[in-house]
Amino acid sequence: MTERNPTSSTGNPLLEMWQGPFAMPPFGAIEPRHFEPAFTEGIAVHETEIAAIAANAETPTFANTVEALEIAGRSLTQVARVFYNLTGSHTNPELQAIEREMAPRLSRHSTAIALNPDLYRRVADLWQRRDILGLDAEQMRVLERTYTSFVRSGANLDTTGKERIAAINARLATLGTQFAQNVLAEEQAFRLVLEGEAELAGLPELVRAAAARAAADLGLPAGTHVVTVSRSSIEPFLQFSSRRDLREKAFSAWIRRGENGNAHDNRAIAAETIALRAERARLLGFKTFADFRLDDAMAKTPEAVRGLLDEVWAAAKVRAGEERAKLEAYARKDGQNIDIEPWDWRYWAEKVRKAEHDLDEAETKPYLQLDRMIEAAFDTAGRLFGLTFNERTDLPVYHPDVRAFEVTDTSGGHVGIFLGDYFARPSKRSGAWMSAFRGQRRLGGEQRPIIVNVLNFNRGGNGEPTLLSFDDARTLFHEFGHALHGLLSNVTYPSIAGTAVSTDFVELPSQLYEHWLATPEVLGRYARHYKTGEAMPAALMARLKAAQTFNQGHATCEYVASALADLELHAMADPTGIDISRFEAEMLARRGMPKGVVMRHRLPHFAHVFSGGGYASAYYSYMWSEVLDADAFDAFTEAGNVFDPATARRLKEFVYSAGNRRDPAEAYKAFRGRLPTSASMLRKRGLAA
């Protein structure tokens, strides 16, 4: 069963009954021109549904108010899910124009619902009578989340306050869309064309092949090699290129996205966004946006977040300083008396890693074929949760690169559809993510999800398999962990299904799943040489494992600096008129950012924070969840089996399938029996004994 408008007869495929296996979106029939009228009709239908709920003369009940809200808007949801998945993974100028037009319209629509006084009165009435309504635990959780959502949206404000909230929301939607489109434009504009052997110096054959394929994908002549600012393209170049001048050129383009003083400069957008968020938080009774955001998160307060980040930052700075000294000593021994700059770090770190661990990516990549790593992720899900993945070439997809799989359980029952979109292309924004074309629910009839993983790997050369770095393989497992969180969802109400949990809990399923990649049970079986088929030698596997804490001072400082910038920026009571580049520089200086290290995401292109704001004042969530995931994997090692059935059953019941049925702290305690400490995480990163 899928979300659709059965009354539509417009000929618009977005509004028709979807036919075919699993009611998949009819991608081949959908054109950009279909979206605007589909959005218009979806909004109109939703407005009618909301008006009927708000005007209902009957005494509010959970069914006629909360469940009615859960059901309302399904046709609009269907259109929006298809549209926003495409604008992220396969966009074009027509879709981008529609995105700019629809952002404020959709914001006004959602804000009007959140600030509807009659609707809020019904929800508030139920909340006040909640203890006598006879609700089960899941219904009580849905009511609590619904009431909290209304309050946090401004339902208690006076008319003037509501009008200002609505204006702020509409403006933020426009700003977030423009921010993302600016970053994509900057990424599409840069290409470093490598001409001749001199500019390819130091690059191993696998990296050259990927650069040649990137050039071919851009329509450049045979024999051309290109480096882009996609992370899977630029990081190998920075690791291996012996041309320091070209490394600097590429690195500068990478970190200056959104800060080039051109039509795609994001600094003014970010500054306005920060000021508007702070104003909205004050209207809602909070001192800062960080206070507002974290009040409804697992962390609860900025002080709790700052405490964790400060603890890790102190250890990481010391380690990064030691690492930098080691890199410079190695460079001097190699005849280069240089200060290690950010564009040098990965190059010399690769050499030191080779020297200390007898390990480099050119040695490990041949064993990490993309197809084998996909199989490994699937097999791990089978061993933990009893899932099977069967490829379906008969299902419609939105791009020829996308692969579709039906997911079934141990009884052969349908669980959902998984789509894998693995390769970089100009129409796709950078990064890696999980999303849903359809969510899970039981209300109104069983609906199973359609989940997609989008990544940006460099495709292998002509006739060659795509080979991954270990970090790439870990990213694949990470996003697949998110996918399982969506696929295994088993709740009644769509508002709490799948990944609809607090931001500092949503990374637990994904980061926890990464752990299985490095186990002998998985890596030993699926890491096989793409030419010989031989398994990765045990000695190489041991060196790979030993190297996992190598350079972690640098990596941790990169991440924590971004998390601190996000937190401190949103912890300002009045950031009006802020210069974000100056703020960033001053904060890093005050914090003692190690020389040669740059934030993983600098503010002018920090899409997590400014493109929609899903991680605004919440980028810390990855580390907060890392505390959880390190402790959670210990539950398996303590059981003596990384696939221990009893532990896996608890993990599925309380984490992967549970959606937002419980407060995240209670969910974790139900799985583990207690809350974690940071000790396991610090050991995992090699920052503590």
Side-chain angles (χ1 to χ4, degrees), residues 9-54:
S9 59
T10 64
N12 187 326
L14 290 164
L15 297 170
E16 298 293 337
M17 298 280 286
W18 290 350
Q19 305 299 323
F22 313 113
M24 289 283 290
F27 293 112
I30 296 171
E31 300 175 15
R33 63 183 177 87
H34 293 131
F35 282 105
E36 193 282 330
F39 270 123
T40 297
E41 180 167 338
I43 289 171
V45 170
H46 198 196
E47 287 175 341
T48 300
E49 293 167 336
I50 292 299
I53 299 169

Side-chain angles (χ1 to χ4, degrees), residues 148-164:
T148 299
S149 177
F150 272 97
V151 172
R152 288 176 59 81
S153 295
N156 283 327
L157 296 178
D158 60 20
T159 301
T160 301
K162 288 180 179 179
E163 289 175 352
R164 183 55 186 155

Side-chain angles (χ1 to χ4, degrees), residues 436-512:
F437 282 95
R438 185 168 69 222
Q440 180 268 332
R441 68 159 190 263
R442 287 195 295 273
L443 182 66
E446 179 71 23
Q447 176 176 278
R448 296 310 306 168
I450 301 172
I451 302 298
V452 61
N453 272 174
V454 186
L455 299 107
N456 273 280
F457 299 138
N458 276 338
R459 194 193 308 267
N462 289 333
E464 297 290 330
T466 296
L467 304 177
L468 306 180
S469 68
F470 190 77
D471 283 345
D472 285 339
R474 188 160 47 205
T475 297
L476 186 148
F477 265 66
H478 176 100
E479 297 306 334
F480 194 67
H482 280 308
L484 291 173
H485 199 185
L487 288 165
L488 289 169
S489 179
N490 184 28
V491 302
T492 299
Y493 299 97
S495 66
I496 62 166
T499 58
V501 298
S502 65
T503 310
D504 52 8
F505 191 73
V506 76
E507 297 299 335
L508 168 60
S510 57
Q511 293 179 183
L512 174 58

Side-chain angles (χ1 to χ4, degrees), residues 206-217 230 232-233 370 399-402 421-426 428 456-468 472:
L206 292 174
V207 178
R208 293 183 182 208
R213 184 55 189 250
D217 288 345
S230 169
S232 60
S233 174
L370 172 60
H399 188 278
D401 285 346
V402 178
D421 184 356
Y422 297 106
F423 300 117
R425 55 177 174 267
K428 182 191 290 187
N456 273 280
F457 299 138
N458 276 338
R459 194 193 308 267
N462 289 333
E464 297 290 330
T466 296
L467 304 177
L468 306 180
D472 285 339

